[in-house]
Amino acid sequence: MSVVERAAVTLTGAHIIGGQTGVSTTSAAASLVAHCTVTGVSRTGLEVGEGGHAVLEGNRVVRPGAAGIVVDAKADVRVEGGSVEDAQGCGLVVWTGARPVVTALRVVRPAKNGVFVAPGAGGVYESCDVVRSGFPALHIGSGADPLFRRCGTRDCADAVGGDEGAAPVFEECGFGGSPTPLPPGPAPLPRPAVMPAPVVTEPAEENLEDLLGELDRLVGLDRAKRDVGSLVKLMQTVRRRQDAGLPAPPLTRHLVFAGNPGTGKTTVARLYGRLLKALDMLRVGHLVEVDRSDLVGEYVGHTGPRTAAAFTRALGGVLFIDEAYSLVPAGGGTDFGLEAVATLVKLMEDHRDDVVVIAAGYPEDMTRFVASNPGLSSRFTRTLLFEDYDPAELVSIVEHQAREHRYELTSAASAALATLFAEMPRDAGFGNGRYARQVFQEMTERQAQRVADLADPAPADLIALGVEDLPGTGDDGPVRSS
């Protein structure tokens, strides 16, 4: 798929096999590529060209002939989750001038670097992992200043390599095996070859009170936050009994997250793992997000090993199965998804103390999923309901996004947003928080076009988002939800 000129695309759940490049966009209009699988392309799996604008969310790139994901110069890109597996080149390539925000990307067995940051590039890379890279897991070019936060490498040729004059920043990273800690802050790489893996010490133990405060600050989700708080209190009591030498009461940590898309299920799941780690109920507390395409094979004999591999990646943490109901045929009958369910049930029993499984999806469909197998119904005994955001909460999400990116909404814009969200149809395609983030992105684009026409914009002009920047106030029509 090629997105050019001023086009924008929302692509979800696609499976692209073969060809040269899976998805390529050079358009400055924001595109969303979410939960897609790109397999066996001869060149790049996902590519955002110079000046392009895209959000890449939860995608999987398998066996690309070159790099898995490429971010070209001046591209505006956010990568949220997903994986690149068995790339013949680098897992993620960030060219000069690009500064993407990359969260929870997993790069497995790239022939070259896991993440290649070209000279003069940067960006923020948080909770990313590189496993078994052929070249150093991270390559930092001269003058590049990327920030790596809570990232890790395992079984790689080296952790970090790069050029003289590179200035990466590492915060709470774990790069397997180096005896020399690297303090947070700019750290020039001393020679243009492979350097010893610079590791910070193991990430500091997170404070339970701070994590609960982080949970409390999430917009909305009152019911889900209350339920998580109750679970934390329950597990605190369990831990105290164990510390006192008393037997632990029967307890299942596996959960069903029932709610519509964009209601914060993944965000809360990630926090839940960190909370369990702080309670010493999980070894690592990381999140591995999968869906049907990650668990179910295309041929007889493929599903069991694929499901087991995903489960193994989650050991010590949380396995989050999005749209878990898709593993069970709605009308009954046979399906490879049933094999995945049977494999999951057995693995949950074999590793019941070393993993938490969260199955997520629409409320009605999740009831059908749990009831489809006695092993599921006995293990998923607790459901957390994630309610849709109301208009005021959606406005708060946009305002939070604005603060993060150093914009300010005028009071009139906030009031107009509340009206927009109140009148938006709440059909099956409504994206809740995701829709609010898309609205913010469109507002920044419209503001950029408006400010570009000013001869001498003041600093306030560069910051303010007004009513005229709302979607639907010009000829472009309203933003579309996914």
Side-chain angles (χ1 to χ4, degrees):
M1 174 170 284
S2 180
V3 186
V4 298
E5 297 178 350
R6 297 190 60 176
V9 64
T10 295
L11 182 66
T12 58
H15 194 173
I16 298 172
I17 305 172
Q20 291 190 343
T21 298
V23 180
S24 172
T25 177
T26 56
S27 172
S31 288
L32 171 67
V33 181
H35 307 295
C36 296
T37 300
V38 178
T39 305
V41 292
S42 62
R43 294 174 58 186
T44 304
L46 304 171
E47 183 172 314
V48 184
E50 183 170 358
H53 185 181
V55 176
L56 310 178
E57 182 180 305
N59 300 294
R60 184 182 182 211
V61 179
V62 183
R63 296 187 303 278
I69 301 173
V70 172
V71 179
D72 211 338
K74 301 179 182 178
D76 183 0
V77 178
R78 189 168 80 247
V79 180
E80 297 182 356
S83 65
V84 175
E85 303 165 30
D86 300 302
Q88 296 303 299
C90 298
L92 170 65
V93 174
V94 180
W95 288 116
T96 301
R99 307 187 73 84
V101 176
V102 184
T103 305
L105 177 66
R106 183 177 178 83
V107 180
V108 182
R109 296 180 299 274
K112 296 184 179 179
N113 306 108
V115 178
F116 180 96
V117 183
V124 178
Y125 308 81
E126 185 166 354
S127 302
C128 298
D129 295 303
V130 179
V131 180
R132 298 182 185 175
S133 61
F135 288 13
L138 311 177
H139 176 94
I140 319 297
S142 177
D145 60 350
L147 167 62
F148 294 94
R149 180 184 294 125
R150 291 193 292 273
C151 295
T153 68
R154 180 164 58 85
D155 299 333
C156 296
D158 283 283
V160 179
D163 303 330
E164 186 175 357
V169 177
F170 299 97
E171 295 181 357
E172 298 184 356
C173 294
F175 298 156
S178 169
T180 306
L182 180 70
L189 300 178
R191 57 188 177 87
V194 175
M195 65 173 291
V199 178
V200 297
T201 54
E202 285 296 313
E205 292 293 327
E206 293 191 283
N207 181 276
L208 182 62
E209 184 176 344
D210 291 342
L211 290 174
L212 290 173
E214 186 175 338
L215 175 69
D216 187 61
R217 287 191 295 273
L218 295 176
V219 174
L221 306 178
D222 292 341
R223 182 169 178 173
K225 290 190 290 192
R226 184 172 62 250
D227 289 344
V228 171
S230 297
L231 281 170
V232 168
K233 290 180 180 178
L234 173 62
M235 292 182 188
Q236 279 181 303
T237 302
V238 169
R239 172 54 61 193
R240 287 168 179 161
R241 284 181 58 89
Q242 291 174 330
D243 291 344
L246 298 170
L251 175 68
T252 176
R253 302 177 297 177
H254 309 303
L255 300 172
V256 171
F257 280 10
N260 292 324
T263 49
K265 297 186 293 295
T266 307
T267 299
V268 174
R270 185 171 286 110
L271 258 173
Y272 184 60
R274 293 164 61 196
L275 284 162
L276 293 184
K277 172 65 168 63
L279 288 166
D280 201 26
M281 304 289 281
L282 282 175
R283 292 184 292 112
V284 184
H286 65 298
L287 182 94
V288 173
E289 182 179 359
V290 298
D291 58 18
R292 177 185 168 93
S293 66
D294 298 302
L295 304 178
V296 177
E298 299 175 19
Y299 308 103
V300 174
H302 286 192
T303 296
R306 180 174 288 188
T307 301
F311 194 95
T312 300
R313 294 202 307 270
L315 289 177
V318 175
L319 178 66
F320 181 85
I321 308 174
D322 197 18
E323 298 180 350
Y325 56 84
S326 65
L327 297 174
V328 179
T334 59
D335 183 88
F336 287 148
L338 299 176
E339 182 184 350
V341 169
T343 303
L344 283 168
V345 168
K346 182 179 186 307
L347 291 170
M348 289 167 70
E349 176 61 27
D350 293 344
H351 303 278
R352 57 183 176 273
D353 295 326
D354 196 34
V355 75
V356 167
V357 178
I358 296 177
Y362 294 104
E364 299 82 2
D365 290 315
M366 292 310 299
T367 300
R368 174 175 60 82
F369 168 74
V370 173
S372 68
N373 183 298
L376 292 178
S377 59
S378 65
R379 288 165 177 81
F380 290 108
T381 59
R382 188 185 299 267
T383 296
L384 272 61
L385 182 62
F386 287 72
E387 299 168 324
D388 288 346
Y389 291 106
D390 63 30
E393 290 168 343
L394 293 171
V395 172
S396 295
I397 292 173
V398 175
E399 291 173 338
H400 175 74
Q401 290 282 306
R403 287 192 296 271
E404 277 197 338
H405 294 83
R406 298 190 66 183
Y407 288 93
E408 292 179 4
L409 270 70
T410 65
S411 57
S414 294
L417 269 178
T419 301
L420 172 70
F421 290 138
E423 296 175 350
M424 181 71 189
R426 299 287 183 119
D427 54 20
F430 183 68
N432 275 287
R434 187 180 303 131
Y435 173 65
R437 291 189 291 272
Q438 288 176 327
V439 168
F440 169 71
Q441 290 171 16
E442 183 165 341
M443 290 181 71
T444 61
E445 292 171 13
R446 296 170 71 94
Q447 187 249 29
Q449 296 292 330
R450 178 170 56 80
V451 172
D453 294 333
L454 300 178
D456 186 22
D461 295 322
L462 300 173
I463 294 173
L465 295 175
V467 173
E468 62 270 38
D469 301 317
L470 264 67
T473 55
D475 297 330
D476 297 334
V479 69
R480 298 181 65 183
S481 177
S482 65

